[in-house]
């Protein structure tokens, strides 16, 4: 018996609409209104400026370790902007721009990276999960949310974010497999930023693309220029609409680049060249979008100052906050505190009151400086 | 009132809670059409359909991970891990997420879910089918760890676990599934979690056990009464964590002697936590060192050697007699 090719043959497409030289494929240009385009650009700029500010705040010891997004603004905003508030967004830990779009206040993002759990508390009406740090483990949650929405008959799409490194994790494969079998409304958005800390994509996978991994699970997979906000938008809109109409899940691979450090504790000069970074800086998602808007006469005067003022005001509010009440650490371990936890709470409360039962709380010991912080010489490397 | 074994009693708990609450969904490997490899979910698929009784792909991590997502949305998933020995493939979903979501979101979200797992030895099974790993879950803040010892409390505890707003790990001893039948009331009975049961009263020695070890403890206590004239108090923990220290300490304050029996290995096991709690709460009452009768600190030994490591009545008797004579 001869070997016979199976049908259908699979293909993976690559989508680019606005390239790094500013060339526009007007046949594919998405139908976004002037106000939508302006809002998108403002969000990209806010994402960029806040990111740079947060790196500086970390260096000054005013927040802890932070994972910057610089270079990935188009991947995040082109996708997240296709969601409705009633849809769900499931981030990893490098989605600051997407989270801002979804209504997370800047203060909460600062609190998150300042080690305060209040920062990872979504608002009561907000359909977002908080950041998830163990890589890829949030992807099954997205599938479960979508299953539950479908079970209840709710009109909901779930969008889940992760990086190229996550595609090596079992949870990525299990999530895509379950999503395919259950045919649930999930859009998986991979921000392939080329580097999982120091490990480049070619050591992460032998696949030609990440998008093609979807095919093994019976889902459509599409690769897009992740620095082209129009292409990311078009691909995401298509996937979200399909999911909403019962067409099931999609994997979108946004080819992008992490222009900054993995986290503020990382030193990328150890593993990648300046030339490579400069090459990607040439493909900066903001630069080409600015040119696109300029041609449409949609650039607003003074936008940078506006955005910076918004950030400065939020930093001010964040730093004016009273330190968190440590006793509340016992409040959310369980719905009701077991007796042993009540005893532990009492023990801490007594310690905070001090031996004379009247003094103020003792000064908490200052935390040692973190790697990457400027304050110290001991931890520099 | 019907005479049911533990499988049927657990099945009744699921059936009645699913009839009562549409948010309860069942998910796991072979839990649907097949009714579960131990038949605990039998007939539920026929009654409630495949959307509510989900035959999942074979992947423990995604069974728990998707259940976390369902719970965050407001459903109440009951996950079956086919054998507790396979749960290390979803341990991160339990520890990193199910147990932490309430804390991480400061109460905005929580995971009301139950993870059922058959555990324990004595069933002539292969590796990963006979172990006792409750210590891992009992150690995790944010989780509850429940182990019934018979049909009636299995039913009541499963209902209690399903209604508990916190994630519950629910261990079912395989050797107990068909070991005995008990009268189980027709009307729904929910047992509160976190409360131990004093199943035999006595003044000379407190024996603390749970799961299949409760029967071993009771048999040893009966022998001690008839042969030694010693009256043992036997405590069935029912919930391993949070531990009912109050009941344990009150008993040891009365008896002055304590013995813990469990099937998990000794070092860093529940016995250590129980012994420490007794020392903290009943130090001045103690007449003898606290003893632990447990499995030895060796990895899986194979069922040909299993009887030498799983505590039996003889080992409990010997340890109890030493404690009583101290």
């Amino acid at each position: 018996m001869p070997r016979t090719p199976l049908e259908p043959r699979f293909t993976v497409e690559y989508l680019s609409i606005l390239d790094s030289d500013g060339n526009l494929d007007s046949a594919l240009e998405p139908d976004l209104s002037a106000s939508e385009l302006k809002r998108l650009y403002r969000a990209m700029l806010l994402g960029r400026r806040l990111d740079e500010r947060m790196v500086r705040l970390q260096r000054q010891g005013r927040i802890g370790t932070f994972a910057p997004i610089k270079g990935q603004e188009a991947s995040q905003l082109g996708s997240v902007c296709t969601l409705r508030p009633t849809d769900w967004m499931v981030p990893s830990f490098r989605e600051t721009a997407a989270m801002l779009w979804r209504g997370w206040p800047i203060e909460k993002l600062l609190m998150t990276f300042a080690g305060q759990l209040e920062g990872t508390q979504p608002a009561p009406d907000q359909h977002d999960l908080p950041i998830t740090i163990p890589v890829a483990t949030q992807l099954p949650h997205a599938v479960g949310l979508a299953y539950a929405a479908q079970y209840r008959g709710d009109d909901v799409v779930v969008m889940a974010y992760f990086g190229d490194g996550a595609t090596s994790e079992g949870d990525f494969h299990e999530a895509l497999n379950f999503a395919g079998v259950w045919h649930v409304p999930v859009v998986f958005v991979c921000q392939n930023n080329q580097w999982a800390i120091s490990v480049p994509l070619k050591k992460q996978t032998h696949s030609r693309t990440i998008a093609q991994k979807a095919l093994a699970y019976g889902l459509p997979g599409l690769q897009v220029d992740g620095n082209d906000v129009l292409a990311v938008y078009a691909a995401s809109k298509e996937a979200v609409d399909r999911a909403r109409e019962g067409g099931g899940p999609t994997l979108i691979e946004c080819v992008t680049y992490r222009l900054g450090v993995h986290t503020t504790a990382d030193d990328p000069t150890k593993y990648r060249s300046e030339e490579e970074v400069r090459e990607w800086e040439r493909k900066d998602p903001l630069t080409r979008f600015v040119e696109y808007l300029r041609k449409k006469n949609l650039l607003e005067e003074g936008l940078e100052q506006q955005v910076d003022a918004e950030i400065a005001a939020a930093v001010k509010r964040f730093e004016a906050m009273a330190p968190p009440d440590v006793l509340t650490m016992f409040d959310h371990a369980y719905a009701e505190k077991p007796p042993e936890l009540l005893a532990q709470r009492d023990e801490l409360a007594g310690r905070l009151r001090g031996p004379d039962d009247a003094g103020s709380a003792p000064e908490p010991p200052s935390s040692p400086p973190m790697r990457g912080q400027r304050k110290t010489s001991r931890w520099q490397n | 009132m019907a005479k049911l074994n533990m499988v049927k009693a657990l099945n009744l708990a699921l059936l009645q809670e699913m009839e009562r609450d549409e948010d309860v969904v069942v998910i796991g490997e072979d839990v649907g059409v097949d009714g579960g490899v131990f038949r605990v979910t039998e007939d539920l698929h026929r009654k409630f359909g495949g959307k509510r009784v989900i035959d999942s792909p074979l992947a423990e991590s995604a069974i728990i991970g998707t259940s976390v997502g369902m719970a965050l949305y407001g459903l109440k998933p009951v996950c079956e891990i086919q054998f507790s020995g396979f749960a290390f493939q979803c341990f991160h979903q339990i520890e990193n997420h199910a147990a932490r979501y309430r804390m991480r979101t400061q109460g905005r979200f929580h995971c009301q879910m139950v993870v059922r797992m058959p555990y324990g030895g004595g069933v002539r099974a292969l590796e990963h089918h006979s172990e006792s790993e409750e210590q891992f879950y009992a150690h995790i803040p944010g989780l509850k760890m429940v182990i019934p010892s018979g049909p009636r409390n299995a039913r009541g505890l499963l209902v209690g676990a399903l209604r508990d707003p916190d994630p519950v790990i629910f261990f079912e001893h395989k050797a107990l599934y068909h070991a005995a039948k008990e009268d189980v009331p027709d009307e729904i009975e929910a047992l509160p979690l976190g409360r131990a049961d004093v199943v035999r009263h006595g003044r000379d020695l407190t024996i603390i056990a749970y799961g299949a070890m409760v029967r071993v403890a009771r048999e040893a206590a009966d022998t001690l009464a008839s042969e030694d004239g010693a009256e043992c108090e036997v405590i069935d923990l029912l919930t391993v964590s949070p531990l009912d220290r109050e009941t344990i300490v009150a008993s040891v304050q009365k008896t002055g002697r304590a013995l813990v029996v469990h099937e998990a290995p000794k070092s860093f096991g529940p016995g250590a936590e129980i012994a420490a709690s007794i020392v903290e709460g009943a130090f001045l009452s103690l007449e003898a060192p606290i003893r632990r009768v447990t499995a030895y600190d060796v990895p899986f030994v194979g069922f040909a050697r299993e009887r030498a490591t799983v505590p039996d009545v003889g080992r409990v008797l010997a340890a109890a007699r030493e404690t009583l004579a101290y």
Side-chain angles (χ1 to χ4, degrees):
Chain A
M1 294 293 281
R3 294 186 184 202
T4 51
L6 290 174
E7 294 295 336
R9 303 287 184 85
F10 299 105
T11 56
V12 179
E13 292 179 342
Y14 174 81
L15 178 65
S16 160
I17 297 174
L18 178 67
D19 75 13
S20 53
D21 297 323
N23 302 313
L24 177 72
D25 186 335
S26 46
L28 293 175
E29 187 182 5
D31 184 21
L32 284 161
S33 69
S35 67
E36 285 169 327
L37 289 168
K38 280 157 78 173
R39 192 172 163 222
L40 257 181
Y41 175 62
R42 190 185 192 286
M44 286 172 74
L45 187 65
L46 177 65
R48 172 68 58 95
R49 300 295 282 192
L50 177 63
D51 198 67
E52 291 170 345
R53 184 84 176 103
M54 284 178 80
V55 171
R56 287 199 301 277
L57 289 171
Q58 191 279 336
R59 298 295 185 225
Q60 294 161 353
R62 292 156 77 180
I63 61 170
T65 304
F66 171 62
I69 62 151
K70 188 174 179 179
Q72 301 179 211
E73 296 85 353
S75 293
Q76 294 183 22
L77 289 159
S79 50
V80 78
C81 77
T82 60
L83 294 181
R84 298 174 183 167
T86 45
D87 293 331
W88 283 72
M89 197 272 288
V90 178
S92 74
F93 53 82
R94 198 189 299 285
E95 274 79 38
T96 314
M99 291 174 79
L100 286 169
W101 182 274
R102 293 286 291 177
W104 289 80
I106 294 172
E107 292 95 303
K108 275 198 177 170
L109 299 176
L110 293 166
M111 288 161 88
T112 297
F113 292 101
Q116 296 185 26
L117 289 173
E118 289 79 359
T120 44
Q121 181 188 45
D125 57 347
Q126 193 176 1
H127 294 160
D128 294 353
L129 298 190
I131 67 164
T132 289
I133 297 175
V135 172
T137 60
Q138 74 278 17
L139 301 179
H141 305 167
V143 178
L145 286 167
Y147 188 93
Q150 202 173 62
Y151 177 80
R152 289 218 178 136
D154 296 344
D155 177 11
V156 161
V157 174
V158 183
M159 185 172 277
Y161 287 93
F162 53 102
D164 41 307
T167 65
S168 300
E169 290 276 9
D171 275 355
F172 164 78
H173 297 275
E174 293 189 19
L176 261 67
N177 186 44
F178 274 54
V181 172
W182 290 348
H183 204 65
V184 286
V186 187
V187 179
F188 297 99
V189 180
C190 177
Q191 295 183 76
N192 169 8
N193 68 13
Q194 313 303 324
W195 291 93
I197 307 189
S198 66
V199 177
L201 187 66
K202 65 175 187 293
K203 287 189 189 175
Q204 203 67 248
T205 178
H206 194 52
S207 296
R208 166 82 176 75
T209 66
I210 285 170
Q212 75 199 58
K213 292 175 193 279
L215 305 182
Y217 302 104
L219 334 177
L222 178 68
Q223 192 184 60
V224 300
D225 179 349
N227 287 5
D228 172 0
V229 71
L230 301 180
V232 176
Y233 170 82
S236 305
K237 180 86 171 55
E238 184 182 292
V240 166
D241 288 350
R242 180 167 51 232
R244 204 180 298 288
E245 284 152 20
T250 303
L251 169 64
I252 298 172
E253 174 190 0
C254 300
V255 180
T256 181
Y257 193 77
R258 190 191 81 214
L259 288 173
V261 290
H262 159 70
T263 69
T264 46
D266 172 44
D267 173 13
T269 61
K270 277 194 76 175
Y271 53 81
R272 66 185 192 188
S273 69
E274 277 297 315
E275 294 72 49
E276 182 186 303
V277 179
R278 272 199 296 275
E279 183 61 27
W280 278 95
E281 276 171 348
R282 234 180 38 77
K283 302 179 197 168
D284 189 314
L286 269 75
T287 316
R288 71 179 85 168
F289 197 42
V290 165
E291 285 314 308
Y292 173 79
L293 295 176
R294 197 188 309 281
K295 282 179 197 155
K296 289 187 176 285
N297 205 18
L298 291 175
L299 278 184
E300 292 170 88
E301 282 293 313
L303 193 59
E304 288 204 3
Q305 288 82 348
Q306 256 187 52
V307 160
D308 286 348
E310 183 182 335
I311 294 168
V315 171
K316 206 169 170 181
R317 286 194 299 274
F318 159 69
E319 295 200 319
M321 283 176 188
D325 176 1
V326 291
L327 277 178
T328 60
M329 78 167 79
F330 298 101
D331 292 351
H332 299 293
Y334 294 92
E336 271 181 57
K337 295 178 201 59
E340 174 62 22
L341 209 53
L342 281 171
Q344 293 177 14
R345 186 189 185 281
D346 289 348
E347 189 260 341
L348 176 59
R351 219 150 45 80
L352 293 173
R353 276 196 305 272
D356 60 358
D357 222 28
S360 58
E363 277 291 305
S366 61
S367 13
M370 268 166 288
R371 232 179 126 192
Q373 282 181 358
R374 195 183 282 160
K375 272 180 146 180
T376 172
S377 55
R378 191 165 66 96
W379 287 72
Q380 274 178 3
N381 61 357
Chain B
M1 191 77 82
K3 283 246 183 240
L4 301 180
N5 66 23
M6 198 159 110
V7 169
K8 298 279 183 205
L10 290 164
N11 183 262
L12 179 66
L14 290 171
L15 171 72
Q16 289 183 321
E17 281 303 280
M18 290 180 80
E19 281 173 343
R20 207 183 63 88
D21 185 350
E22 278 208 349
D23 287 338
V24 177
V25 297
V26 168
I27 174 172
E29 296 157 11
D30 308 297
V31 296
V33 177
D34 196 38
V37 293
F38 290 102
R39 304 289 177 259
V40 173
T41 56
E42 189 143 79
D43 261 355
L44 299 178
H45 185 270
R46 192 176 55 76
K47 288 196 172 92
F48 300 105
K51 287 277 171 205
R52 253 187 110 182
V53 183
I54 307 160
D55 270 325
S56 77
L58 201 163
E60 287 77 12
S61 179
I63 290 172
I64 304 302
T66 57
S67 294
V68 166
M70 292 181 205
L72 295 172
Y73 201 88
L75 301 188
K76 295 163 189 164
V78 189
C79 323
E80 179 174 301
I81 297 298
Q82 207 157 68
F83 288 88
S84 63
F86 304 145
F88 296 94
Q89 300 202 62
C90 57
F91 194 77
H92 68 292
Q93 285 291 349
I94 294 172
E95 201 281 346
N96 291 176
H97 298 302
R100 294 172 183 239
Y101 242 104
R102 181 186 294 283
M103 187 73 168
R104 184 179 299 148
T105 62
Q106 295 289 284
R108 165 74 173 85
F109 294 124
H110 65 277
C111 294
Q112 178 160 357
M113 58 191 277
V114 177
V115 183
R116 296 181 34 249
M117 306 187 204
Y119 85 106
V123 290
R124 301 176 61 79
L126 291 178
E127 190 174 4
H128 309 296
H129 292 68
S130 297
E131 292 84 343
S132 197
E133 309 95 339
E134 60 273 20
Q135 65 279 17
F136 297 109
Y137 306 101
H139 187 67
I140 299 174
L143 278 189
K144 294 182 177 175
M145 169 78 234
V146 172
I147 308 185
S149 60
R152 185 163 178 176
N153 62 38
R155 188 273 195 105
L157 286 168
L158 185 53
V159 173
L162 287 165
R163 295 182 186 181
D164 195 287
D166 292 312
V168 179
I169 307 297
F170 195 92
F171 268 24
E172 300 160 6
H173 201 290
K174 293 183 285 289
L176 296 181
Y177 272 144
H178 303 282
K181 287 186 178 179
E182 280 176 1
D183 284 329
V184 176
D186 298 330
E187 64 278 8
I188 300 184
E189 190 177 54
L191 284 176
L193 308 191
R195 276 193 220 158
D197 195 7
V198 180
V199 294
R200 188 184 200 287
H201 291 273
R203 60 183 183 281
D204 299 319
L205 168 69
T206 302
I207 307 179
I208 299 127
Y210 51 87
M213 292 297 108
V214 173
R215 183 192 55 80
V216 173
R218 291 178 84 155
E219 274 185 41
D222 289 344
T223 305
L224 288 164
S226 59
E227 294 182 7
D228 302 47
E231 289 302 329
C232 296
E233 188 138 300
V234 177
I235 297 179
D236 180 356
L237 283 186
L238 300 175
T239 300
V240 177
S241 173
L243 184 63
D244 183 355
R245 290 176 171 80
E246 199 184 333
T247 299
I248 296 167
V249 165
S251 174
V252 180
Q253 279 173 343
K254 182 175 67 179
T255 62
R257 290 176 163 85
L259 173 66
V260 188
V261 189
H262 62 62
E263 220 176 306
K266 183 176 185 177
S267 297
F268 302 94
E273 180 62 32
I274 293 165
S277 300
I278 292 170
V279 171
E280 284 167 359
F283 181 71
L284 294 176
S285 309
L286 281 176
E287 303 285 350
I290 302 159
R291 289 291 299 262
R292 286 176 281 167
V293 179
T294 69
Y296 298 117
D297 290 342
V298 291
F300 177 73
V301 297
F303 66 79
R305 290 184 173 84
E306 193 179 57
R307 291 178 64 179
T309 182
V310 174
D312 58 16
V313 176
R315 271 176 76 194
V316 174
L317 269 180
R321 284 177 172 142
E322 282 177 26
T323 307
L324 285 163
Y326 188 86

